[in-house]
Amino acid sequence: MSETCADFLSAASTATSLRVRPVKHLIDGQLEGSESSFEVVNPSTGGACATCPEGSRDQLDRAVAAARRAQPQWAARTSAERRKLLCRLAGVLREHQAEVAALITLEQGKPLARAVDEVQRAASQVERLTSVVLDKEVLRNDSTGRVELHFRPLGVIGAITPWNMPIVLAVPKITHALYTGNTVVLKPSPYTPLATLRLGELARHIFPPGVLNVLAGSDRFGQWMSEHTGLDKISFTGSVATGKRVMASAAVNLKRLTLELGGNDAAIVLDDVDLDEAIPKIFAAAFANSGQVCMAIKRLYVQDKVYEHLCDALAELARSARVGDGFEPGVQLGPVQNRPQYEVVKGILEDVPRARARILAGGRALDRPGYFIAPTVVGDITEGTRLVDEEPFGPVLPILRFREVEDAVMRANDTRFGLGGSVWSRDIDRAALIAARLEVGISWVNHHTGADALVPFGGAKESGIGREYGKDGLRQYTETTSVFIPPDP
Ligand code: NAD
């Protein structure tokens, strides 16, 4: 019988009483521990909440070898068969959503309801992405003959994920790779390995041994993967700095790469905006997951006439947001996920007075255990400050003023990041033209954040290389062969 969130939580109503069953790697269809282990910390308390096995070099080699052995037979199945098994994974995720969501809240900190959303979104992304048909294409068919474009799997994909959304970032990587006939070795962040290892365990009886391998490990383990000549591609989501290291290491065998990296998204609010509609949406797009979203609004450019109103309204929402342990009912925002990131956000806040900006709400860490920062809104700030120029990846929003739209577009684009951006206005056509001029991979009008499984997603500039989702995303897990066929004699 499938458990419900309520059933699960009545048995374990708070993080402290949540019993985490021992987690293991999935290697070649078998669950395994390791000689070494590390502690997983609950960011709402700062204390250890579980012990996780730490994958060794030998275990990685065995996982890669198993994935290589399993790949030809997996690729020989039809895409319909592969879709069927992937949709079973989606079903199993939904059946176990209460448990998986509780693990996400425990290790990542987000409110439980948001963790449930994450699991449900991951499941539906599987179904939507595998509805895309990736058949051979005929490029030319005339008296000179026919040219066909065939898509072949690359082989074995190494997938590496960060800590902000462990399941909704891992499951689509598995889906892209397996649906296109590749096999996978997946490594979650060492900060949030629990839900992903549980996912591997749940998938164990769905896929043949070796098709999906899930191993927890340190950053060094990620580097071993990037350098491993048995892997044909790395699909990486994480920071720009690590993405550059992955790219350098992957050169060893010219691995294919998808790099989904950090962002510093700008939202441009024009003075004809519908304020009542925009304000809650902008707040959510900046502060969801306590700002730990790659495509969160991280720089808010607001036109003169509506500047003060927007500052006041967002500050009010920040002051009234309920911050706390994600297991407490009614909590809207959880902690920053780990101590190093907490120190980064605190350092950025310490820099704000030097910038002579106005702190409109928050501005400090909360005096309680765990890694909590008060939701912070900063006005009268400009470029050339850490808060504006860097990716804070925490619950802190700078609001910048502009007079001319051209100036806002230029400033929004004046960054090495290029993930997402948005324009807010009642004049949708005008806003759409401006949104198309943002130097980013995804832009929105009167909206910000969200990935659609049928639409390519990824970053421009240093926010990444390649795209995930849609036909474009699937193609990037394949090699193309152009086949020239002569005309019939
Ligand atoms: P990170 O780069 O520190 O770590 C990400 C993963 O890389 C972890 O699993 C880590 O163990 C591994 N790793 C570390 N060193 C490695 C190496 N040398 N080789 C291979 N793997 C290595 O990132 P993080 O702090 O976990 O995540 C936050 C960052 O991720 C933010 O910048 C955020 O914007 C970005 N992000 C981007 C997207 C996107 O889709 N563009 C989505 C979510 C998060």
Side-chain angles (χ1 to χ4, degrees):
M1 198 181 80
S2 72
E3 65 205 343
T4 65
C5 208
D7 292 340
F8 191 76
L9 288 175
S10 62
S13 59
T14 65
T16 38
S17 61
L18 181 67
R19 284 190 315 277
V20 179
R21 43 176 123 179
V23 283
K24 294 194 167 163
H25 314 290
L26 176 66
I27 303 173
D28 201 10
Q30 301 298 318
L31 297 176
E32 280 189 23
S34 283
E35 275 174 22
S36 338
S37 60
F38 60 92
E39 283 191 334
V40 181
V41 170
N42 174 354
S44 291
T45 63
C49 62
T51 302
C52 181
E54 179 168 5
S56 67
R57 180 79 214 218
D58 169 64
Q59 286 178 309
L60 173 62
D61 289 343
R62 285 194 287 110
V64 172
R68 293 216 81 82
R69 275 195 306 278
Q71 197 269 331
Q73 280 196 7
W74 178 249
R77 294 183 182 224
T78 63
S79 56
E81 286 173 326
R82 296 195 293 261
R83 171 173 211 261
K84 199 167 135 196
L85 295 189
L86 280 160
C87 288
R88 269 183 59 197
L89 178 65
V92 165
L93 256 181
R94 284 203 185 92
E95 266 173 50
H96 292 267
Q97 71 176 22
E99 180 197 353
V100 177
L103 288 174
I104 295 173
T105 294
L106 182 70
E107 64 184 348
Q108 202 280 334
K110 70 185 59 170
L112 189 61
R114 301 287 76 78
V116 171
D117 289 346
E118 177 170 342
V119 177
Q120 290 177 347
R121 221 157 4 112
S124 78
Q125 301 284 48
V126 175
E127 290 154 352
R128 280 167 61 73
L129 188 58
T130 58
S131 70
V132 176
V133 177
L134 193 65
D135 270 346
K136 71 175 180 199
E137 285 176 19
V138 177
L139 300 181
R140 193 168 73 216
N141 193 8
D142 56 26
S143 58
T144 64
R146 197 165 75 245
V147 182
E148 294 176 351
L149 192 61
H150 289 244
F151 300 97
R152 290 182 293 103
L154 290 167
V156 183
I157 310 296
I160 302 177
T161 53
W163 45 255
N164 61 326
M165 300 207 173
I167 290 297
V168 89
L169 293 172
V171 170
K173 288 191 188 306
I174 295 171
T175 308
H176 281 83
L178 297 191
Y179 184 49
T180 48
N182 303 281
T183 52
V184 174
V185 176
L186 165 68
K187 181 196 101 69
S189 166
Y191 291 113
T192 53
L194 304 176
T196 313
L197 288 189
R198 181 69 180 127
L199 171 75
E201 198 180 336
L202 292 171
R204 182 181 172 202
H205 298 297
I206 298 177
F207 302 108
V211 167
L212 173 64
N213 304 273
V214 185
L215 290 88
S218 60
D219 292 354
R220 192 174 51 149
F221 191 95
Q223 185 171 344
W224 292 337
M225 288 175 70
S226 309
E227 294 167 350
H228 207 295
T229 52
L231 294 175
D232 301 288
K233 169 176 173 131
I234 296 287
S235 175
F236 173 83
T237 301
S239 63
V240 173
T242 310
K244 289 180 181 178
R245 274 181 229 124
V246 169
M247 191 168 185
S249 307
V252 64
N253 59 338
L254 289 182
K255 279 185 195 67
R256 279 28 180 180
L257 288 172
T258 297
L259 301 178
E260 298 281 2
L261 308 180
N264 198 7
D265 287 14
I268 300 177
V269 182
L270 308 187
D271 57 14
D272 67 345
V273 65
D274 179 338
L275 285 166
D276 290 344
E277 194 196 316
I279 287 163
K281 286 168 85 177
I282 289 174
F283 183 80
F287 287 94
N289 206 22
S290 297
Q292 301 164 112
V293 177
C294 55
M295 55 185 147
I297 296 177
K298 294 173 185 151
R299 295 175 292 151
L300 184 64
Y301 287 91
V302 181
Q303 201 158 14
D304 259 346
K305 211 170 95 187
V306 288
Y307 186 84
E308 291 301 333
H309 184 102
L310 218 80
C311 283
D312 291 347
L314 291 171
E316 181 52 36
L317 287 176
R319 278 191 291 271
S320 57
R322 177 130 182 246
V323 179
D325 186 321
F327 284 103
E328 284 167 26
V331 159
Q332 290 166 269
L333 302 176
V336 171
Q337 195 280 328
N338 58 72
R339 178 168 282 284
Q341 187 60 30
Y342 175 67
E343 297 300 337
V344 167
V345 178
K346 284 202 301 182
I348 286 177
L349 287 180
E350 278 161 22
D351 191 55
V352 168
R354 279 196 283 279
R356 284 196 263 145
R358 262 193 303 155
I359 293 190
L360 303 170
R364 64 198 159 75
L366 295 184
D367 185 17
R368 56 177 285 176
Y371 311 134
F372 290 95
I373 303 271
T376 298
V377 176
V378 178
D380 294 344
I381 189 159
T382 57
E383 294 84 357
T385 52
R386 284 191 66 194
L387 175 55
V388 176
D389 296 350
E390 295 178 21
E391 178 189 35
F393 222 56
V396 188
L397 178 68
I399 311 185
L400 300 94
R401 189 191 288 266
F402 72 90
R403 187 166 300 159
E404 304 298 332
V405 173
E406 283 309 306
D407 176 52
V409 172
M410 191 197 69
R411 291 160 68 192
N413 284 338
D414 187 18
T415 166
R416 67 196 174 96
F417 293 103
L419 190 56
S422 60
V423 181
W424 301 70
S425 164
R426 280 199 168 90
D427 184 341
I428 305 248
D429 292 342
R430 178 173 174 232
L433 287 175
I434 301 168
R437 291 174 56 206
L438 297 178
E439 295 166 358
V440 295
I442 321 111
S443 64
W444 296 269
V445 171
N446 295 338
H447 182 77
H448 201 118
T449 77
D452 179 326
L454 304 183
V455 178
F457 176 94
K461 301 182 185 171
E462 292 194 12
S463 287
I465 290 184
R467 295 289 180 263
E468 286 186 321
Y469 294 121
K471 213 173 236 189
D472 272 14
L474 289 170
R475 278 184 171 190
Q476 292 179 24
Y477 285 70
T478 67
E479 192 67 83
T480 57
T481 304
S482 304
V483 184
F484 284 77
I485 303 158
D488 288 337

